[in-house]
């Protein structure tokens, strides 16, 4: 729709920035803070979460910079383990003091504090006792919430219960060190989080005068690849499972019908205790936090064993699910240097869809662009590409307001202070600390492995092939091979593998992270990889080398727009040798 004149951003609009505690604070063991699951990530030669942006030691400088930028709001998370080191025990007064000082500093500059109560950093002690699979974690979260409301409720008006609950369920690897939960366990975690968030919402309304509270999921409009009605069904499926499930429960107090039927079909339905749904229905959020980065495009499921196409990625990467949807490419959209899609119009689409379903005010709690920024001789980062990105998204936000959407603020993902911005790869958008091996930050084109590393096959620890010391080509005939970069080298592999390619069913390359590992754990296929990628991740899988044993040094990681012929050639030569082709 074209407008003669766009509506203005409303008075008091919360222009701001967004961070999470574990990604900016550092000081991971200082002043009584306990360990969270995020503190277990220990990459080599790159920034981790132990120091991060060192916000803990530079808080006042950071807030002053925010004020100089003209920010009206700062959305940040409180580290659960800085308040309750073991998640459910004695209060750490130094942690209480830090956030008191941060909130006071913000208020002194006229910056509205927007507090996220839980942002991926579950206390390690609670994780070791079952984490969100345990009902005890619900009680621990309610105790923690009560402390926050009692301590900070006189100055904090806006509260967010749980950040990106849908990401924690659909992309669980980074939140579950060690064994990755089954889908059945994940949806039980999901239900327990719903109950915990509902109890916190009710508590906030009881304890915080004029307090506003809501969820903060990662919501994205899902497009059908074509006007084929079957593609539309696939888009409806995934949008319900990925998005509406989380907001229907939070806002309407009931499970989304399509998502519930999906869980029934797959055997994922959670145990719902007496009184749970009444508590959830009683909790009424005041607004919705929306983390938006891009849309997704899907196509009709085939249900032939190929709907799920695993690849390296994160919450913005759609991989497909058997019998539900297939991931598809949207040729109308640009990509960032790190492979994330750019869809500013999709923000307007997403905001309109959310508002039409729930009719609640919305706060954009995350949005932003990751890029390979360079510090120039004048001491500045000149980033017209980011300015263009934000201008386009701001315009679409204003169009959404003109469409009738009640948008109350816009928080862009923001980096802290410190000299490690290069390591953090711009504003925390790329969580490189989650990678298991060192990365060359300057160009992000290769991963350095051990001096000597072995190529081989990764499989579930109880797989029959795990009893073998080495794997031969004959062992893999008829087996499904999965991984993360198959599409990039598919044609070359087909060319030289010939008949063997068909016998193997599918061939992929390295970097078996995220959902690929989960699929392997569930016995859905085997992966070609390097030993260090498995041992460093401590997954519930095992590695067996090729016969003959093949050792290598560095391995290149190629990007879509990069000339990767050298990397592909090296990879092919290694596999030729390993398989005696």
């Amino acid at each position: 729709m074209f407008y003669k004149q766009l509506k203005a951003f409303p008075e008091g609009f919360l222009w701001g920035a967004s961070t999470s505690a574990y990604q900016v604070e550092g000081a991971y063991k200082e002043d009584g803070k306990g360990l969270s699951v995020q503190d277990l990530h220990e990459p080599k030669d790159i920034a981790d979460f132990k120091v991060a942006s060192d916000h803990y030691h530079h808080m006042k400088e950071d807030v002053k910079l925010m004020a100089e930028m003209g920010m009206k709001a700062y959305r940040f998370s409180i580290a659960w383990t800085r308040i309750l080191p073991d998640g459910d025990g004695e209060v750490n007064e130094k942690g209480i003091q830090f956030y008191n000082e941060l909130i006071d500093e913000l208020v002194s500059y006229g910056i509205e504090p927007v507090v996220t109560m839980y942002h991926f950093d579950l206390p390690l002690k609670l994780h070791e006792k079952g984490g969100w699979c345990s009902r005890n974690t619900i009680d621990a979260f309610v105790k923690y919430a009560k402390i926050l409301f009692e301590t900070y409720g006189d100055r904090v008006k806006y509260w967010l219960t749980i950040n990106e609950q849908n990401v924690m369920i659909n992309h669980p690897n980074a939140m579950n060190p060690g064994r990755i939960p089954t889908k059945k366990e994940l949806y039980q975690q999901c239900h327990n989080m719903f109950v915990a968030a509902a109890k916190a919402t009710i508590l906030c309304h009881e304890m915080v005068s004029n307090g506003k509270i809501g969820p903060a999921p990662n919501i994205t409009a899902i497009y059908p690849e074509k006007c084929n009605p079957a593609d539309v069904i696939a888009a409806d499926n995934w949008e319900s499972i990925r998005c509406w499930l989380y907001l229907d429960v939070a806002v309407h107090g009931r499970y989304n019908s399509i998502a519930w039927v999906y869980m029934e079909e797959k055997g994922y339905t959670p145990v719902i205790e007496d009184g749970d749904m009444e508590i959830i229905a009683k909790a009424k959020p005041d607004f919705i936090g929306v983390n938006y980065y891009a849309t997704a495009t899907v196509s009709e499921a085939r249900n032939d064993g190929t709907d799920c196409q695993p690849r390296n990625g994160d919450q913005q990467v759609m991989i497909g699910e058997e019998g539900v949807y297939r991931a598809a490419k949207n040729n109308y959209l640009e990509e960032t240097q790190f492979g994330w899609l750019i869809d500013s119009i999709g923000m307007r689409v997403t905001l309109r869809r959310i508002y039409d379903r729930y009719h609640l005010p919305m706060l954009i709690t995350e949005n932003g662009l990751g890029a390979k920024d360079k510090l120039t001789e004048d001491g500045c980062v000149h980033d017209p590409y980011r300015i263009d990105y934000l201008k386009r998204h701001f315009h679409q936000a204003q169009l959404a307001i003109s469409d009738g959407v009640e948008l109350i603020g816009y928080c862009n993902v923001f980096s802290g202070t410190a000299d490690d911005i290069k390591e953090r790869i711009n504003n925390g958008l790329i969580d490189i600390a989650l990678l298991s091996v060192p990365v060359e930050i300057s160009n992000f084109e290769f991963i350095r492995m051990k001096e000597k590393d072995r190529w081989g096959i990764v499989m579930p620890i109880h797989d029959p092939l795990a009893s073998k010391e080495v794997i031969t080509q004959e062992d893999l005939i008829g087996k499904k091979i999965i991984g993360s970069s198959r599409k990039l080298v598919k044609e070359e592999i087909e060319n030289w593998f010939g008949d063997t390619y068909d016998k193997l069913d599918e061939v992929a390359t390295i970097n078996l992270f995220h959902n690929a590992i989960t699929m392997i754990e569930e016995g859905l296929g085997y992966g070609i990889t390097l030993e260090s990628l498995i041992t460093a991740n401590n997954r519930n899988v095992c590695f067996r080398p090729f016969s003959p044993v093949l050792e290598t040094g560095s391995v290149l990681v190629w990007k879509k727009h990069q000339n990767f012929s050298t990397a592909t050639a090296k990879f092919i030569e290694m596999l030729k040798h390993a398989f005696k082709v």
Side-chain angles (χ1 to χ4, degrees), residues 331-357:
N331 293 318
Y332 291 95
L333 302 182
E334 308 166 60
E335 289 186 1
T336 72
Q337 292 170 304
F338 298 108
W340 284 28
L341 297 175
I342 299 174
D343 187 1
S344 57
I345 297 175
M347 171 182 278
R348 181 187 182 188
V349 175
T350 300
L351 293 174
R352 284 163 49 137
R353 289 185 184 181
I354 297 170
Y355 194 71
D356 280 347
R357 288 180 69 95

Side-chain angles (χ1 to χ4, degrees), residues 86-141:
D86 64 1
D88 188 25
E90 295 298 316
V91 172
N92 175 32
E93 291 301 332
K94 289 190 176 179
I96 294 285
Q97 179 184 347
F98 171 72
Y99 294 110
N100 261 325
E101 292 177 358
L102 169 58
I103 292 167
D104 285 346
E105 197 72 13
L106 292 167
V107 171
S108 72
Y109 282 103
I111 298 173
E112 186 82 50
V114 180
V115 171
T116 306
M117 300 167 67
Y118 169 52
H119 192 128
F120 296 166
D121 50 354
L122 185 70
L124 182 59
K125 292 293 185 182
L126 292 181
H127 173 75
E128 291 171 345
K129 295 175 183 177
W132 284 108
C133 284
S134 169
R135 301 277 302 194
N136 292 332
T137 301
I138 299 174
D139 298 332
F141 185 75

Side-chain angles (χ1 to χ4, degrees), residues 328-492:
K329 182 175 176 57
N330 190 331
N331 293 318
Y332 291 95
L333 302 182
E334 308 166 60
E335 289 186 1
T336 72
Q337 292 170 304
F338 298 108
W340 284 28
L341 297 175
I342 299 174
D343 187 1
S344 57
I345 297 175
M347 171 182 278
R348 181 187 182 188
V349 175
T350 300
L351 293 174
R352 284 163 49 137
R353 289 185 184 181
I354 297 170
Y355 194 71
D356 280 347
R357 288 180 69 95
Y358 305 108
H359 295 283
L360 283 175
M362 283 182 285
L363 170 65
I364 296 172
T365 40
E366 286 184 28
N367 176 248
L369 172 73
K372 300 176 184 179
D373 297 325
K374 293 182 179 180
L375 191 65
T376 54
E377 291 181 358
D378 61 0
C380 298
V381 173
H382 299 280
D383 54 354
Y385 41 86
R386 183 171 291 105
I387 293 170
D388 175 67
Y389 174 96
L390 291 173
K391 277 185 175 179
R392 284 192 278 167
H393 282 76
F394 293 165
H395 179 61
Q396 293 300 322
Q398 188 175 8
L399 282 167
I401 291 171
S402 300
D403 292 333
V405 169
E406 190 176 354
L407 188 63
I408 62 173
Y410 192 126
C411 293
N412 183 48
V413 174
F414 178 71
S415 180
T417 60
D419 297 326
D420 67 338
I421 290 178
K422 185 175 77 168
E423 285 85 26
R424 295 291 302 132
I425 309 186
N426 179 55
N427 296 342
L429 287 177
I430 308 299
D431 292 330
I432 59 173
L434 302 185
L435 296 177
S436 63
V437 288
V439 176
E440 177 60 45
I441 301 303
S442 62
N443 53 28
F444 202 67
E445 261 109 32
F446 65 87
I447 293 177
R448 295 197 200 95
M449 297 297 176
K450 297 175 180 176
E451 234 176 84
K452 288 197 172 180
D453 205 355
R454 298 189 297 177
W455 280 98
I457 297 296
V458 60
M459 64 198 76
I461 55 175
H462 301 302
D463 190 90
L465 288 184
S467 62
K468 301 195 66 172
E469 291 187 6
V470 294
I471 302 298
T472 66
Q473 181 181 12
E474 288 72 26
D475 293 325
L476 298 176
I477 290 178
K479 301 293 194 298
K480 187 181 185 72
I481 309 296
I482 61 178
S484 59
S485 303
R486 180 180 62 83
K487 281 191 173 181
L488 297 180
V489 293
K490 183 175 184 292
E491 289 184 8
E492 291 92 333

